Amino acid sequence: MSQDQEQPLIAHLVELRNRLLKSVLVVLALFLGMFYFANDLYLILVQPLSVLLPDTQGQMIATGVASPFLVPFKLTLVLAVLIAMPFMLHQVWGFISPGLYQNEKRFAVPLLISSTVLFYSGILFAYYVVLPLAFGFFTMAGPDGISFMPDIANILDFILKIFFAFGFAFEIPVATFLMVLSGLTTVAALGEKRPYIFLGCFVVGMLVTPPDIISQTILALPMYALFEGGVLASRLIRKPATEGEQPDATDNL
């Protein structure tokens, strides 16, 4: 590798380091700002469960010695990362945008914004719709005489799994659009596979939700609606001629 080739590589690595450092500092600042309220944040998070318990005090337990500290700590760290996601995506965009063609940039910013909004929407949908139904099912499913005393660490892990499952499920329109944009499939081909995709949504709902038809339907129907939204957005794609087109290196955030 020549010295001329090494210099741009080093410059890119330095830029990547700086952007990663900025992202870490933002996450750290958010974490430190929220950690004082960590216990309150946990109580807000588990509210869909706590309102269903006959007696909140003593119904949720901590089986680990360090769980009363580590569980709110983990929650606060995850929340800091989630809140910092738009800033981190902005840093990713600033790093990769100089190497994109102009037609690629035309789609990149709307995709970044829409993917962030959809991910947060999936989390809100899970918190306000799915968790009350799931916890309602679990609190009523046990046999008589069994005390329902969930561990706070298990509750957090369950809620985070549901959040990320629905957050990523709500990314279906973006994934559909990108598959069509990249040429992996076409709108016509997706239209022909609608019955299989509809069935697949219910299979996914069966795997990631509690074993009742209501919860499965609550995930499956939005997933299919989001797929149709992605197909509709994909109809806007027009393949531009890229011959002679060069990446725009002047547009760097």
Side-chain angles (χ1 to χ4, degrees):
M1 181 181 294
S2 66
Q3 185 175 0
D4 292 338
Q5 292 175 319
E6 290 178 357
Q7 290 300 324
L9 177 61
I10 294 175
H12 285 308
L13 291 176
V14 170
E15 182 185 3
L16 178 61
R17 182 202 62 185
N18 292 338
R19 292 187 180 279
L20 288 175
L21 182 60
K22 290 178 183 178
S23 299
V24 171
L25 290 176
V26 169
V27 171
L28 181 61
L30 289 170
F31 172 79
L32 294 176
M34 294 188 299
F35 186 69
Y36 179 80
F37 307 99
N39 292 333
D40 296 327
L41 292 172
Y42 184 82
L43 293 178
I44 294 173
L45 182 73
V46 300
Q47 189 176 8
L49 173 61
S50 62
V51 296
L52 298 173
L53 298 176
D55 182 10
T56 302
Q57 299 296 329
Q59 291 296 319
M60 287 185 288
I61 62 174
T63 57
V65 175
S67 293
F69 171 78
L70 292 180
V71 171
F73 181 95
K74 178 181 178 180
L75 171 62
T76 307
L77 182 60
V78 173
L79 286 177
V81 173
L82 290 176
I83 295 173
M85 186 180 297
F87 179 82
M88 292 188 290
L89 290 176
H90 180 270
Q91 295 302 310
V92 172
W93 167 251
F95 182 73
I96 67 174
S97 61
L100 297 178
Y101 293 107
Q102 194 61 42
N103 67 297
E104 293 172 333
K105 291 183 179 182
R106 182 163 58 94
F107 292 114
V109 173
L111 286 174
L112 286 174
I113 296 174
S114 60
S115 61
T116 304
V117 173
L118 287 170
F119 187 80
Y120 288 149
S121 299
I123 291 177
L124 292 175
F125 181 81
Y127 181 79
Y128 287 106
V129 178
V130 179
L131 288 182
L133 291 172
F135 287 139
F137 173 82
F138 289 132
T139 54
M140 299 296 293
D144 294 336
I146 301 298
S147 298
F148 184 68
M149 302 175 65
D151 177 65
I152 59 174
N154 290 335
I155 296 172
L156 177 62
D157 291 340
F158 176 81
I159 291 177
L160 291 181
K161 288 178 182 177
I162 292 293
F163 278 179
F164 282 103
F166 276 80
F168 287 117
F170 271 55
E171 298 292 332
I172 289 176
V174 176
T176 303
F177 186 89
L178 288 176
M179 286 192 298
V180 175
L181 181 64
S182 62
L184 292 176
T185 187
T186 63
V187 174
L190 291 174
E192 294 174 355
K193 295 179 175 64
R194 275 190 173 93
Y196 306 102
I197 294 173
F198 185 78
L199 178 61
C201 290
F202 276 90
V203 172
V204 173
M206 179 184 64
L207 294 175
V208 303
T209 61
D212 64 281
I213 189 63
I214 297 177
S215 299
Q216 296 170 14
T217 304
I218 286 176
L219 176 60
L221 292 183
M223 286 177 63
Y224 183 75
L226 291 166
F227 162 75
E228 291 291 349
V231 173
L232 183 62
S234 299
R235 296 181 184 276
L236 303 175
I237 296 176
R238 295 291 184 271
K239 292 291 185 179
T242 58
E243 184 177 354
E245 186 179 10
Q246 297 296 326
D248 184 1
T250 60
D251 186 10
N252 189 3
L253 300 182

